[in-house]
Amino acid sequence: MIIGVPKEIKIHEYRIGMTPTSVRELTVRGHTVLIETDAGKAIGYTNERYTAAGAHIVSDVYQVFATAEMIVKVKELQPAERALLRQGQILFTYLHLAPDLPQTQDLLKSGAICIAYETVTDDKGGLPLLAPMSEVAGRMAIQAGATALEKSHGGAGVLLGGVPGVVPAKVVILGGGVVGSNAARIAIGMRADVTVLDKNTDTLRKLDSEFKGAAKLIYSTAETIEHAVLDADLVIGGILLPGAAAPKLITAAMIKQMKAGSAIVDVAIDQGGCAETSHATTHSSPTYIVDDVVHYCVANMPGAVARTATQALNNATLPFIIKLAEQGYAAALNNDKHLRKGLNVFKGQLTCAEVGQAHGLPTISAEQALSADRA
């Protein structure tokens, strides 16, 4: 198979779909990998390193899309890239379609086979291709929040961990999954006053066993969320409903009542955000203020630590890339129910029910789409 890896063009996005190590795994199997020139240069992956791994360096993105049978990326296609997608071409990347109707419509029109990292599953019910970036984002969220609380960034001038004789900041984490648990570990390590809310009691028990009293673990309801958020110095939004838009757990009315100079880091912004006042920001302009509350809503947080993030992501995606290349999309999707869960768009049809519900669009199951394709 011919696999194409274009340079990411989202603002301040320095990750790349495949490392030189991953490329070598494909080329030694006889596959062709096209890398857009300088696509990995910003994180130390030079053209020479890719050439040594067996890749072909191509001069521009048009050649990548025109030649490749499968496109491997990190972030969702931007409008200019979506115009290059071909019918029957495989797209393997993060999509986050639920809050993005224009992208959904463009992918449907393309006739491509679009597989989303964030909805691929595993035997344990987890999301193995989302987890590495959720780990990174969860850990980064506390760094970002600590900075947002500084006076020079619009915050109240609060040190997250306090000092002897001064109480630490109150950190409230909505969601105890991969993002929330990683955020909690860092916040606890910085000696903040940490509260985690989740509606899964098994999750709360697991965190209780790990943290051994170092964090308050509370069952999530509308009342407990409101009480915790209004008392918080820093709120981390780590809510995830796979494939679906994030629920708006923090209302605009709650924002008005929060402490002046408090902060929100809305990690759920890729799926629309869990605060009504959230909208996506970029690494070049990461925050804004609503009702004296600092909002950090960068939609590609791991892009700030692009080298670490790229390596972590490739560790998870490489087995699926190999499977798609070795077997082709039809056999790979039919034989692997977990990869099949990642299928969001198939040759003009929407195959993710959660995205369909978010946009009011008709869907069919991945199984139905693949069956009709065989016929």
Side-chain angles (χ1 to χ4, degrees):
M1 181 178 283
I2 303 173
I3 301 154
V5 182
K7 185 176 183 177
E8 298 290 329
I9 61 172
K10 192 164 188 173
I11 187 167
H12 289 292
E13 180 54 75
Y14 305 112
R15 288 174 289 179
I16 184 170
M18 292 180 68
T19 65
T21 299
S22 294
V23 168
R24 185 176 179 184
E25 289 299 305
L26 272 297
T27 58
V28 296
R29 288 171 164 82
H31 303 290
T32 298
V33 181
L34 309 177
I35 304 288
E36 184 181 352
T37 187
D38 292 335
K41 183 178 179 181
I43 56 172
Y45 296 145
T46 62
N47 293 341
E48 291 75 19
R49 288 192 64 181
Y50 280 111
T51 300
H56 298 276
I57 305 300
V58 298
S59 59
D60 57 50
V61 68
Y62 304 103
Q63 189 175 350
V64 174
F65 274 84
T67 309
E69 298 166 87
M70 175 166 64
I71 299 293
V72 176
K73 288 185 82 274
V74 178
K75 290 305 294 178
E76 71 279 359
L77 294 184
Q78 302 303 295
E81 295 172 308
R82 300 199 294 262
L84 303 177
L85 203 58
R86 305 195 318 270
Q87 185 166 348
Q89 198 168 38
I90 304 166
L91 173 65
F92 195 33
T93 189
Y94 288 116
L95 294 178
H96 299 294
L97 295 179
D100 193 344
L101 179 58
Q103 185 194 176
T104 304
Q105 292 172 326
D106 285 348
L107 295 186
L108 287 169
K109 291 175 185 175
S110 74
I113 299 141
C114 306
I115 305 168
Y117 292 163
E118 72 272 12
T119 58
V120 173
T121 59
D122 61 22
D123 286 328
K124 299 177 181 178
L127 302 170
L129 307 191
L130 186 62
M133 297 304 92
S134 295
E135 290 170 343
V136 171
R139 295 179 184 211
M140 286 186 64
I142 299 302
Q143 295 178 196
T147 300
L149 288 175
E150 295 175 8
K151 194 67 180 175
S152 60
H153 291 91
V158 174
L159 181 64
L160 207 65
V163 293
V166 180
V167 296
K170 294 182 177 179
V171 177
V172 169
I173 300 170
L174 303 181
V178 179
V179 168
S181 60
N182 277 274
R185 291 181 190 111
I186 301 302
I188 290 168
M190 295 179 72
R191 300 190 176 186
D193 180 344
V194 180
T195 299
V196 181
L197 294 94
D198 199 287
K199 60 182 180 181
N200 186 321
T201 54
D202 288 336
T203 296
L204 296 176
R205 290 190 184 98
K206 179 181 177 182
L207 295 179
D208 182 57
S209 177
E210 177 183 350
F211 296 147
K212 303 185 187 308
K216 305 176 188 72
L217 304 167
I218 299 181
Y219 187 79
S220 179
T221 66
E223 182 173 339
T224 58
I225 290 172
E226 181 175 6
H227 177 78
V229 166
L230 298 189
D231 194 40
D233 296 296
L234 172 62
V235 178
I236 307 297
I239 302 301
L240 174 69
L241 299 178
K248 302 298 184 184
L249 301 182
I250 304 171
T251 65
M254 290 163 64
I255 296 291
K256 288 180 181 293
Q257 299 176 66
M258 288 179 68
K259 299 175 186 177
S262 57
I264 293 175
V265 177
D266 198 342
V267 185
I269 196 64
D270 275 320
Q271 295 295 120
C274 63
E276 288 183 344
T277 48
S278 290
H279 62 75
T281 60
T282 66
H283 287 293
S284 60
S285 183
T287 63
Y288 59 92
I289 297 174
V290 176
D291 293 321
D292 295 321
V293 176
V294 182
H295 290 57
Y296 179 101
C297 304
V298 175
N300 60 328
M301 287 179 66
V305 288
R307 190 179 178 95
T308 296
T310 294
Q311 292 170 347
L313 180 60
N314 267 230
N315 290 342
T317 59
L318 181 59
F320 294 99
I321 296 170
I322 292 172
K323 184 172 291 188
L324 285 163
E326 299 276 271
Q327 300 180 16
Y329 76 81
L333 290 168
N334 278 301
N335 295 338
D336 188 335
K337 65 181 180 181
H338 298 301
L339 182 60
R340 194 162 63 244
K341 284 286 188 181
L343 186 63
N344 279 209
V345 174
F346 186 84
K347 297 184 177 181
Q349 297 175 299
L350 191 59
T351 54
C352 181
E354 292 82 3
V355 175
Q357 183 176 7
H359 298 311
L361 296 173
T363 64
I364 64 171
S365 70
E367 291 78 10
Q368 288 173 311
L370 290 165
S371 177
D373 188 56
R374 287 196 300 271

